[in-house]
């Protein structure tokens, strides 16, 4: 059966000492209260090694926020999937809307990144989601289905089974505007149906689909109560231990 997961996405926030302190605080909080879900923090590349050394991997998973679309070589400034894996990280966020929007990531580059992540034993947290215009003009279901199909449907069923999906409506990210629990449920059920159409119902049922976009302790219980919402990808509210733990404890 699929897992419930709460994953933090720190984005480009915190210095290394600040990040290590926050990670330690979250790890300690999780040791004190047993979570009813898997908990992960995805941190900047510079933080991976010191954070790996500061947390208890038995209670808190670690991930990167991106990786390169090449294995190694003359790609100045890039960080590869083998490098990420060598830090002890187990997850990598791929295709976040900020990467798609500001850094021109396409389904084609994302397929390379997903393949390299899987080859190196990393679990991709693959992000999808429509922009406001697509929500308003009613094309959101097709847009999101296309992102899933183009980014992931080249995978074998076995490899697809290793993917975590995160539905993040772009209009809800960092805006304080959360999708309603009904909107999230409808989309998650739609995504699961799209997966079932390609890989069958069993694979679809085993896929964790997280919700992201202004998720906080106050709205997490309602969102996570929906049958197809298997947790959250948390931006702003993952930067304070108490806020993040409030969401973890929604399970
Ligand atoms: P937010 O970001 O929680 O700050 O809206 C979520 C995300 O972009 O992953």
């Amino acid at each position: 059966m699929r897992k419930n997961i709460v994953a933090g996405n720190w984005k480009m926030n915190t210095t290394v000492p600040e990040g290590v302190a926050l990670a330690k605080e979250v790890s300690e909080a999780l040791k004190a209260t047993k979570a009813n879900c898997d908990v992960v923090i995805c941190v900047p590349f510079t933080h991976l090694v010191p954070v790996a050394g500061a947390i208890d991997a038995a209670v808190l998973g670690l991930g990167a926020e991106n990786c390169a679309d090449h294995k190694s070589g003359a790609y100045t400034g890039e960080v590869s999937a083998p490098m990420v894996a060598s830090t002890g990280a187990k997850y990598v966020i791929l295709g976040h809307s900020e990467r798609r929007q500001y850094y021109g990531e396409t389904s084609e580059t994302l397929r390379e990144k997903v393949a390299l992540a899987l080859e190196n034993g990393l679990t991709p947290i693959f992000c999808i989601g429509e922009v406001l215009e697509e929500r308003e003009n009613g094309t959101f279901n097709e847009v999101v289905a296309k992102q899933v199909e183009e980014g992931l449907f080249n995978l074998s069923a076995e490899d697809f089974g290793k993917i975590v999906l995160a539905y993040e409506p772009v209009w809800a990210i960092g805006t304080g505007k959360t999708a309603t629990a009904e909107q999230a449920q409808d989309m998650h059920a739609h995504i699961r149906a799209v997966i079932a159409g390609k890989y069958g119902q069993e694979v679809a049922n085993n896929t964790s689909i997280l919700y992201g976009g202004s998720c906080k302790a106050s709205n997490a219980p309602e969102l996570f109560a929906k049958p197809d919402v298997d947790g959250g990808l948390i931006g702003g509210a993952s930067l304070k231990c108490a806020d993040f733990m409030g969401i973890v404890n929604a399970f």
Side-chain angles (χ1 to χ4, degrees):
M1 216 25 209
R2 60 182 181 263
K3 286 178 180 170
N4 290 325
I5 304 167
V6 171
N9 172 14
W10 288 6
K11 309 194 179 184
M12 197 173 73
N13 292 296
T14 75
T15 61
V16 170
E18 287 164 356
V20 168
L22 174 59
K24 258 190 197 158
E25 206 185 341
V26 172
S27 182
E28 290 304 316
L30 287 165
K31 280 202 276 186
T33 33
K34 181 153 172 24
N36 292 317
C37 60
D38 285 6
V39 185
V40 178
I41 48 174
C42 297
V43 306
F45 292 130
T46 45
H47 297 36
L48 287 169
V49 169
V51 166
I55 63 175
D56 182 347
V59 294
L60 182 57
L62 179 63
E65 301 173 12
N66 183 28
C67 73
D69 56 346
H70 297 278
K71 198 176 286 182
S72 65
Y75 302 100
T76 302
E78 288 293 298
V79 176
S80 71
M83 291 174 188
V84 169
S86 72
T87 68
K90 301 279 184 241
Y91 297 83
V92 60
I93 297 173
L94 292 176
H96 190 279
S97 64
E98 288 150 17
R99 302 289 323 166
R100 293 179 191 257
Q101 262 187 313
Y102 308 146
Y103 300 97
E105 290 197 357
T106 62
S107 295
E108 196 181 357
T109 50
L110 288 171
R111 285 197 296 274
E112 300 298 328
K113 293 184 181 204
V114 168
L116 286 163
L118 291 173
E119 242 171 64
N120 288 281
L122 297 168
T123 298
I125 301 175
F126 190 86
C127 302
I128 50 188
E130 81 283 0
V131 299
L132 184 60
E133 191 192 342
E134 294 156 345
R135 172 57 59 173
E136 286 175 343
N137 70 19
T139 58
F140 50 93
N141 278 335
E142 292 84 77
V143 166
V144 170
K146 193 161 173 251
Q147 289 172 336
V148 175
E149 288 160 8
E150 286 185 355
L152 298 171
F153 278 8
N154 61 316
L155 296 174
S156 67
E158 193 194 337
D159 277 347
F160 187 89
K162 298 171 186 161
I163 304 284
V164 172
L165 282 170
Y167 168 59
E168 300 201 304
V170 179
W171 47 271
I173 295 177
T175 58
K177 207 173 159 186
T178 320
T180 64
E182 288 68 34
Q183 285 173 322
Q185 168 56 29
D186 287 352
M187 179 58 87
H188 285 223
H190 167 64
I191 294 166
R192 208 176 298 287
V194 169
I195 297 167
K198 169 77 177 173
Y199 295 107
Q201 198 61 51
E202 196 185 333
V203 170
N205 286 345
N206 286 333
T207 303
S208 297
I209 308 175
L210 316 185
Y211 168 80
S214 299
C215 184
K216 39 190 183 280
S218 56
N219 56 30
E222 199 190 346
L223 286 159
F224 296 174
K226 293 294 177 189
D228 288 291
V229 178
D230 308 312
L233 182 57
I234 318 300
S238 69
L239 293 170
K240 283 213 178 94
C241 180
D243 294 349
F244 189 57
M245 287 304 296
I247 297 170
V248 168
N249 292 330
F251 274 118

